[in-house]
Amino acid sequence: MPINDKPRRPRPKLITSLLLFLPGLFLLANLILPALSGPRIPRVPYSFFIEQVQDQEVARVSVGQEQIQYQLKDEADQPGQVLQTTPIFDLELPKLLESKGVEFAAMPPPGNRWFTSLLGWVIPPIIFVAIFQFFNRRGGPQGALSVTKNKAKVYVEGDANKVTFADVAGVEESKAELQEVVEFLRSPQRFTEIGARIPKGLLLVGPPGTGKTLLAKAVAGEAGVPFFSISGSEFVELFVGTGAARVRDLFEQAKKKAPCIIFIDELDAIGKSRNSGGFYGGNDEREQTLNQLLTEMDGFAVGDKTVIVLAATNRPETLDAALLRPGRFDRQVLVDRPDLEGRLAILKIYAQKVKLGDQTDLNAIATRTPGFAGADLANLVNEAALLAARRGSLTVDNQDFAEAVERVVAGLEKKSRVLNDKEKKIVAYHEVGHALVGALMPSSDRVEKISIVPRGMAALGYTLQLPTEDRFLLNEEELRGQIATLLGGRSAEEIMFGSITTGASNDLQRATDLAERMVTTYGMSQVLGPLAYDQGQPNTFLGEAGMNSRRMVSEQTAKAIDQEVKDIVETAHQQARTILTQNRDLLDKIALHLLHQEVIEGDQLQEWLSQVQVETDSLNNHQPQAELVEV
Ligand code: ADP
Ligand code: MG
Ligand code: ZN
């Protein structure tokens, strides 16, 4: 873990502090002090004042350079009102006042007030500085109000907890690329002697939790060099200008310790494209920080000092182009989610830390967790261990992992959410509808569990389908099968209750998305042909589906696409209805059990699902007729 390498703690200098708090002081002096100095005196026009003098309503006047305060004559039972006005240069005033018998005097010199306002400017800073120092001391190295202090954490060589490549699994290709960086750091001469330029910056790109931070630490650990780590979001905070100062500081420190690694996590926090505009557009602070970073990266070309800057981001597309230029982060290493083998390797790493039961089958768990990143798997093992402990077991067994997978997948069980009986019945039929249709569809996903115990925020019930293997390619039949399965829930509601609830909206959304992608991305429509009608997604590995915008198409084509999407969904809908109508008895039977038991899984479920049957003819009519339309 991070050891703070004698963190340099520059004492916030009194002067800097004072400067920083000037705006605060200004506010204080202007708003708060006047408010404290008593009730406000009504201000009237000068002419009004003269009139009152001439009407002999004024008792006494004190004349200052900037204002005149005066008191009206006493009424029957109370002292006269005090008013003020702004004087004009009026030499006749004393004569006038004298002639009307008004007491008058010059205002007392502002010494008194000058003193209070001086206090106003001096005391608050002292208080601020005191608070500042207090937090600094309290917060230790992570002081809450530290301004220019660098928060980089330093991992030092020989650290007992040092991370190596052995701690990172499932990202073998990325490791291979980073091995080269380790060589650069270990023996830079080998490269410089033949005139090779050692790359300065390397960008780790990949979805969250895939081990980018871990890999960067492992590079430092392998090379046995210090590792300065700071997160992009930590640069940009509190005060304008501090981000740039921090960057400067960080590089200065690093150069002293070369060879070493600087690791900037969440680079996108400072490296956002400068012309990205929008809400964050024109963020001066971020821009300054970015500029400083670019300057520093250009600056340290010096021969034997090997400082390699690693950075991580999960949104490379948002980065400013200047960051990616040669000499900066010109190399990118993709750190992607692990495949089956990778997941198994990661599970093995974390399983060493818990006591596994003899029967526990990590391979099966890896199979059930496609799409999980390293962090999810680490979390999964921990979650399973917690469940085992809660159960009073001494070892972590398959059942714990099974439940942990569900938890991670679907959010924690919320037993407290109660449905009324009618709703429960609808949800039960809905879920069984999904399951029955899913059981018949050509797909590698097996229905594992049906439940009407609400989970997470939205789902009232759920049907858990887990893949039996990693799939990268799905064929048209399988996609159509998925769409039909998604529509199974709604179809069951239609058949059973003749009405539809709002519960199916998420299903419909996903079904429509899939159908649209079949037509516009995968070219699976026979009517529209193998053309990609969307603009493509450069970063599909980030799982950012749904952002696809359509290519410019003619109105006719757009219509044809819509028609085709609708056809696919509608065909799937009919298919689902056919299956459910033909298996009506089974639907009722399972739904009743589900209402009673709340959860159906395992052998019992498989036994029932294997009974689903359908006359094949009635399904085959979904093949789209190959009618050709000019597009
Ligand atoms: P990222 O920086 O990509 O968001 P992290 O490196 O912070 O992900 O990963 C968080 C945690 O998840 C790590 O500390 C580690 O415990 C675990 N982890 C993530 N990926 C892996 C991996 N490939 N191998 C082993 N552990 C991993
Ligand atoms: Mg990270
Ligand atoms: Zn549903």
Side-chain angles (χ1 to χ4, degrees):
M1 286 299 104
I3 289 187
N4 272 287
D5 179 40
K6 293 263 163 52
R8 218 156 51 89
R9 263 186 55 194
R11 299 222 147 254
K13 288 176 207 102
L14 190 72
I15 295 178
T16 0
S17 316
L18 281 175
L19 281 178
L20 283 170
F21 289 115
L22 276 182
L25 287 182
F26 190 76
L27 268 182
L28 207 93
N30 280 287
L31 296 176
I32 300 174
L33 289 179
L36 289 178
S37 62
R40 288 187 68 80
I41 303 172
R43 184 177 288 274
V44 298
Y46 188 69
S47 58
F48 189 77
F49 161 67
I50 295 294
E51 237 168 71
Q52 282 183 322
V53 172
Q54 275 166 348
D55 296 350
Q56 304 204 334
E57 287 170 15
V58 176
R60 54 194 71 86
V61 177
S62 65
V63 185
Q65 288 209 330
E66 277 159 19
Q67 66 175 8
I68 290 175
Q69 281 187 11
Y70 64 100
Q71 189 175 22
L72 302 182
K73 286 186 175 151
D74 296 357
E75 307 269 311
D77 46 357
Q78 51 186 341
Q81 203 189 354
V82 176
L83 297 166
Q84 62 180 348
T85 185
T86 310
I88 55 175
F89 189 66
D90 185 354
L91 287 174
E92 300 299 309
L93 185 62
K95 271 184 215 159
L96 176 68
L97 290 174
E98 205 167 19
S99 71
K100 299 290 174 189
V102 182
E103 262 180 60
F104 70 96
M107 231 179 218
N112 207 5
R113 297 190 60 238
W114 185 79
F115 181 67
T116 15
S117 82
L118 185 73
L119 280 188
W121 284 86
V122 170
I123 293 179
I126 293 176
I127 296 172
F128 274 121
V129 171
I131 294 174
F132 189 85
Q133 294 281 14
F134 175 74
F135 272 107
N136 248 353
R137 207 155 304 156
R138 283 284 300 269
Q142 256 97 39
L145 283 172
S146 46
V147 181
T148 53
K149 181 169 63 199
N150 218 315
K151 289 194 184 172
K153 299 180 190 76
V154 182
Y155 296 76
V156 204
E157 168 186 7
D159 190 336
N161 291 314
K162 94 172 174 184
V163 180
T164 64
F165 279 151
D167 297 313
V168 194
V171 281
E172 300 309 320
E173 286 151 51
S174 328
K175 277 205 273 188
E177 284 192 60
L178 289 170
Q179 184 60 44
E180 201 183 4
V181 178
V182 174
E183 297 303 323
F184 290 148
L185 287 164
R186 274 197 192 142
S187 42
Q189 320 82 333
R190 245 181 56 203
F191 299 89
T192 47
E193 266 165 21
I194 50 170
R197 184 178 60 85
I198 291 178
K200 284 183 206 166
L202 204 133
L203 189 60
L204 301 170
V205 177
T210 45
K212 297 181 293 295
T213 310
L214 195 65
L215 268 172
K217 282 183 204 165
V219 172
E222 290 284 334
V225 300
F227 176 74
F228 294 79
S229 138
I230 192 160
S231 168
S233 57
E234 288 171 63
F235 276 125
V236 184
E237 57 182 302
L238 233 51
F239 301 113
V240 176
T242 54
R246 278 205 184 130
V247 172
R248 210 176 306 126
D249 216 43
L250 176 62
F251 276 81
E252 229 162 69
Q253 257 178 281
K255 273 183 233 164
K256 281 182 207 148
K257 296 240 169 164
C260 68
I261 290 178
I262 295 178
F263 177 59
I264 304 175
D265 214 345
E266 298 168 52
L267 182 66
D268 41 287
I270 39 173
K272 271 206 208 86
S273 170
R274 274 171 291 192
N275 47 27
S276 63
F279 183 67
Y280 292 107
N283 181 335
D284 266 359
E285 165 67 350
R286 211 190 55 222
E287 220 166 275
Q288 282 181 21
T289 311
L290 175 57
N291 285 336
Q292 188 65 39
L293 180 63
L294 296 177
T295 313
E296 295 290 347
M297 287 197 70
D298 292 343
F300 68 81
V302 239
D304 48 0
K305 284 192 181 168
T306 315
V307 178
I308 291 188
V309 188
L310 297 182
T313 181
N314 45 24
R315 303 161 62 201
E317 73 284 356
T318 65
L319 290 183
D320 197 294
L323 271 170
L324 307 177
R325 267 188 218 132
R328 294 165 183 171
F329 295 104
D330 47 3
R331 289 201 176 191
Q332 297 197 9
V333 175
L334 175 62
V335 187
D336 211 347
R337 294 199 180 89
D339 59 5
L340 177 60
E341 224 172 284
R343 292 198 298 275
L344 182 58
I346 296 174
L347 281 172
K348 277 183 182 157
I349 291 182
Y350 290 99
Q352 284 168 8
K353 294 170 188 162
V354 300
K355 286 202 190 104
L356 284 193
D358 301 336
Q359 303 290 316
T360 311
D361 183 359
L362 290 182
N363 206 358
I365 302 158
T367 310
R368 284 159 161 241
T369 48
F372 276 43
D376 302 326
L377 292 168
N379 182 23
L380 174 70
V381 174
N382 189 48
E383 195 73 35
L386 288 175
L387 287 169
R390 198 172 305 159
R391 200 160 57 84
S393 166
L394 293 177
T395 54
V396 190
D397 299 322
N398 279 325
Q399 68 180 94
D400 303 311
F401 276 106
E403 200 175 337
V405 170
E406 273 177 50
R407 283 189 179 218
V408 180
V409 167
L412 290 170
E413 261 186 67
K414 272 203 182 166
K415 295 220 170 180
S416 56
R417 189 136 149 204
V418 194
L419 297 176
N420 69 31
D421 286 350
K422 167 89 178 162
E423 283 170 336
K424 231 174 170 175
K425 199 167 168 193
I426 295 176
V427 174
Y429 272 89
H430 179 107
E431 298 305 334
V432 177
H434 282 308
L436 291 187
V437 177
L440 265 195
M441 289 298 134
S443 151
S444 53
D445 293 0
R446 197 172 63 166
V447 178
E448 289 278 332
K449 178 171 183 173
I450 320 175
S451 161
I452 52 170
V453 181
R455 265 166 190 277
M457 295 301 287
L460 295 175
Y462 63 93
T463 305
L464 187 68
Q465 268 189 315
L466 290 174
T468 44
E469 58 189 333
D470 254 11
R471 291 297 302 270
F472 296 105
L473 295 171
L474 292 173
N475 62 29
E476 184 183 341
E477 283 308 292
E478 287 168 326
L479 286 173
R480 285 183 185 270
Q482 284 189 3
I483 296 173
T485 308
L486 283 167
L487 290 163
R490 177 196 160 108
S491 305
E493 287 184 43
E494 285 169 3
I495 292 168
M496 180 63 203
F497 305 99
S499 67
I500 306 151
T501 63
T502 53
S505 62
N506 181 36
D507 297 338
L508 300 188
Q509 188 79 48
R510 286 166 56 196
T512 315
D513 280 355
L514 263 181
E516 180 160 352
R517 257 185 284 156
M518 283 176 69
V519 178
T520 63
T521 310
Y522 306 138
M524 284 177 178
S525 156
Q526 301 194 8
V527 178
L528 288 147
L531 292 167
Y533 292 95
D534 67 357
Q535 294 279 15
Q537 302 152 32
N539 292 296
T540 35
F541 72 89
L542 296 175
E544 281 183 20
M547 291 283 289
N548 48 349
S549 52
R550 277 191 197 166
R551 225 173 262 284
M552 298 285 279
V553 290
S554 68
E555 198 178 320
Q556 250 177 327
T557 310
K559 246 187 215 157
I561 292 174
D562 290 343
Q563 186 57 44
E564 190 67 4
V565 170
K566 193 169 163 218
D567 277 356
I568 291 178
V569 175
E570 193 44 46
T571 319
H573 182 203
Q574 289 313 327
Q575 206 178 355
R577 283 189 66 119
T578 311
I579 293 172
L580 292 177
T581 332
Q582 293 190 8
N583 292 277
R584 181 60 200 264
D585 293 344
L586 198 57
L587 175 65
D588 287 329
K589 188 162 113 191
I590 305 180
L592 283 181
H593 271 271
L594 185 58
L595 271 174
H596 186 65
Q597 279 171 234
E598 296 206 327
V599 177
I600 305 180
E601 61 188 329
D603 295 341
Q604 188 187 19
L605 179 64
Q606 299 313 326
E607 156 71 19
W608 274 330
L609 291 183
S610 65
Q611 294 172 22
V612 192
Q613 278 172 353
V614 74
E615 295 160 27
T616 38
D617 302 354
S618 54
L619 286 184
N620 282 345
N621 58 9
H622 78 272
Q623 290 293 350
Q625 278 86 45
E627 84 191 75
L628 278 174
V629 179
E630 293 236 356
V631 291

